[in-house]
């Protein structure tokens, strides 16, 4: 009889252990999928950036995660959204819309959708990081500091 009591007493502990195991497994799977979601695109030349300003509202919201693919600047068309370095290769990435691609001057004129006027300085081809191919709202907040 005491053996049966021991087995009955262990059942709640086994259930709790299984629940904890399942929770940890789900958390691990989520972490693996998130890491793969960020690492796999890099294998194909895609970089991601968190949007920290509202200059592209309402098209791209603050806190969005944008995926940018390397693009030959001479192929950019009016209306496409690009990421560029604000100050050469060491500058902060900016995401704005192309309003004019001046191929003869090798520069792109840009404007944030929420801004009333064109950006003051044109973007040189050497500053273009690439074209925004996907924007996912909210997810970028995870990467914002």
């Amino acid at each position: 009889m005491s053996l049966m009591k021991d087995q009955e007493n262990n059942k709640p502990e086994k259930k709790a252990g299984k629940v904890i195991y399942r929770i940890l497994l789900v958390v691990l799977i989520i972490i693996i999928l998130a890491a793969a979601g960020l690492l796999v695109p890099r294998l194909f030349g895609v970089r991601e950036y968190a949007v920290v300003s509202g200059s592209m509202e309402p098209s791209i919201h603050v806190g969005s995660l944008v995926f940018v693919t390397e693009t030959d600047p001479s192929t950019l068309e009016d209306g496409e959204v690009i990421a560029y370095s604000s100050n050469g290769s060491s500058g902060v990435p900016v995401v704005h819309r192309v309003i004019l691609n001046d191929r003869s001057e090798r520069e792109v004129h840009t404007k944030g959708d929420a801004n009333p006027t064109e950006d003051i300085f044109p973007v040189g081809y050497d500053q273009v990081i690439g074209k925004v191919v996907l924007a996912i709202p909210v997810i970028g907040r995870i990467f914002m500091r």
Side-chain angles (χ1 to χ4, degrees), residues 71-98:
T71 305
D72 176 359
S74 68
T75 66
L76 293 171
E77 298 293 331
D78 297 355
E80 292 182 317
V81 178
I82 64 167
Y84 64 90
S85 179
S86 62
N87 187 22
S89 61
S90 63
V92 175
V94 176
V95 174
H96 278 178
R97 190 172 304 278
V98 173

Side-chain angles (χ1 to χ4, degrees), residues 60-73:
I60 301 174
H61 299 288
V62 173
S64 294
L65 186 67
V66 293
F67 291 87
V68 177
T69 184
E70 292 180 21
T71 305
D72 176 359

Side-chain angles (χ1 to χ4, degrees), residues 35-137:
L38 295 176
L39 294 176
V40 170
R42 287 183 178 237
L43 296 174
F44 297 99
V46 177
R47 296 163 64 181
E48 70 283 336
Y49 299 95
V51 176
V52 297
S53 81
S55 66
M56 284 300 292
E57 296 275 358
S59 302
I60 301 174
H61 299 288
V62 173
S64 294
L65 186 67
V66 293
F67 291 87
V68 177
T69 184
E70 292 180 21
T71 305
D72 176 359
S74 68
T75 66
L76 293 171
E77 298 293 331
D78 297 355
E80 292 182 317
V81 178
I82 64 167
Y84 64 90
S85 179
S86 62
N87 187 22
S89 61
S90 63
V92 175
V94 176
V95 174
H96 278 178
R97 190 172 304 278
V98 173
I99 59 171
L100 173 70
N101 189 346
D102 187 345
R103 290 171 180 85
S104 63
E105 294 293 324
R106 299 183 48 79
E107 59 189 23
V108 180
H109 296 256
T110 57
K111 177 183 172 299
D113 289 357
N115 298 342
T117 60
E118 174 182 331
D119 296 338
I120 295 172
F121 300 105
V123 177
Y125 278 10
D126 60 330
Q127 294 175 264
V128 174
I129 297 169
K131 181 169 44 171
V132 174
V133 293
L134 177 65
I136 303 174

